[in-house]
Amino acid sequence: MTQTASVTPTVGILYPGYSAEDDYPRAEQRLGDGSRLPLVHTLMREDAHRVDALLDVGSEDILADGAKAVAASDGPLDSIIWACTSGSFVFGWDGATAQVKALQEVARVPASSTSFAFVDACRRLGIDTVAVGATYPDDVAERFVEFLGKAGIRVLTLTSRGIITAAEVGTLTDDVVLEFAAAVAGDPAAAGAQAILMPDTALHTIDVLDRLDERVGKPVLTANQVSVWQGLRLAGADRARTGLGALFAAGPEAG
């Protein structure tokens, strides 16, 4: 489900807690075309990359409250995104699908989540073999690998940093992010990967997307990047854009 093309779309962003939410106003600035990304912080009872906590973060009632809040605070939306990778893939493919369906019913506009945005971004670029650099503990990161597998995306290697809280992830500097991506790409097991995936919306990446691609010599897809891209795509504003990495630069005819 996508909307009729909108010149200046409004994409509602549901974001859990506080960590890298400032990536979204930065993305607005880089888009520079009037597209708007109003953001509502959804309830996070416990900041923990732990399965039980993530299931709570992505629960239907919390997302419904967030959808109502972002619509009420910023008027009509063209699409809405649950901007949390772990809080979507932790439900599994079927659970994440039901999560998006419920969100769409409440918001009454096209909806998606960051996990599905990664899948759609890979499909857009014709990518089916990747390496993953995750900030999460291993057990959570492995669920992302399983989710990608359901979409036919093969993960050649998984590197996890084992960080428990989103708040800590949000403190990682641009240089650390660049080094992390380079380390993932430099793993001999990642030699055949067509892209590097970095699946955490708590990670600041919007200001370094082009640098990430240049550093590793292949597309680097990040959580906040694919979330914005998916929202614009669903809102009918899918076109080539510069300054936001290979995914945005490719335009709608890639893949």
Side-chain angles (χ1 to χ4, degrees), residues 64-76:
D65 287 345
K68 294 171 186 175
V70 72
S73 66
D74 219 273

Side-chain angles (χ1 to χ4, degrees), residues 174 177-182 198 204-206 208-222:
D174 290 350
V177 174
L178 289 162
E179 289 297 328
F180 184 32
M198 304 183 79
H204 288 97
T205 61
I206 290 296
V208 294
L209 292 171
D210 286 342
R211 292 168 62 192
L212 282 166
D213 292 347
E214 292 166 4
R215 182 68 176 271
V216 306
K218 62 184 69 177
V220 178
L221 301 179
T222 75

Side-chain angles (χ1 to χ4, degrees), residues 123-144:
R123 288 172 175 166
R124 166 59 57 84
L125 295 174
I127 288 166
D128 59 15
T129 305
V130 304
V132 172
T135 50
Y136 319 124
D138 287 341
D139 64 324
V140 173
E142 286 164 2
R143 290 190 175 220
F144 183 55

Side-chain angles (χ1 to χ4, degrees), residues 27 32 40 83 88 93-95 100 103 110 140 152-153 157 173 187 205 214 226:
V40 162
S88 45
W93 187 272
D94 291 343
V100 168
L103 179 58
V140 173
I153 299 169
T157 181
T173 65
D187 184 334
T205 61
E214 292 166 4
V226 301

Side-chain angles (χ1 to χ4, degrees), residues 54-135:
L54 294 169
L55 289 171
D56 182 63
V57 163
S59 61
E60 185 175 330
D61 58 334
I62 287 177
L63 296 192
D65 287 345
K68 294 171 186 175
V70 72
S73 66
D74 219 273
L77 302 176
D78 295 295
S79 64
I80 191 166
I81 299 293
W82 169 223
C84 183
T85 328
S86 56
S88 45
F89 69 69
V90 75
F91 288 83
W93 187 272
D94 291 343
T97 299
Q99 184 185 61
V100 168
K101 181 180 179 181
L103 179 58
Q104 186 164 292
E105 288 175 354
V106 172
R108 298 184 181 278
V109 293
S112 189
S113 66
T114 308
S115 292
F116 287 117
F118 270 110
V119 170
D120 290 336
C122 285
R123 288 172 175 166
R124 166 59 57 84
L125 295 174
I127 288 166
D128 59 15
T129 305
V130 304
V132 172
T135 50

